[in-house]
Amino acid sequence: MDASEKENKFDKKALCESKMFKEKRDILSAVLEDDREYTKAEAEELIKNYLTKELV
């Protein structure tokens, strides 16, 4: 079992409503899938990728 399997997972609603991601709710709402659960690290990575992706 690796570290990601030990971390708690949260659904989109829980992450979007959390105080931890208060400033990034709009981004999370756009990048997270409704029917999936994410660790905090996965959510942070998706936010980072969104903010650094190149515009076309």
Side-chain angles (χ1 to χ4, degrees):
M1 184 180 288
D2 67 18
S4 65
E5 292 178 65
K6 293 178 188 173
E7 264 192 88
N8 291 329
K9 292 197 173 209
F10 305 92
D11 64 12
K12 179 178 180 175
K13 183 176 187 231
L15 288 167
C16 288
E17 291 177 353
S18 75
K19 290 179 184 176
M20 179 179 186
F21 293 111
K22 184 170 87 169
E23 304 295 321
K24 307 284 192 228
R25 284 185 184 147
D26 292 340
I27 295 171
L28 283 177
S29 183
V31 299
L32 299 182
E33 297 175 27
D34 291 328
D35 56 347
R36 198 175 149 209
E37 292 187 335
Y38 302 86
T39 64
K40 289 179 186 176
E42 289 171 327
E44 289 168 345
E45 184 67 22
L46 287 168
I47 291 169
K48 180 180 149 205
N49 289 344
Y50 179 84
L51 292 172
T52 60
K53 82 177 176 185
E54 188 174 322
L55 298 175
V56 243

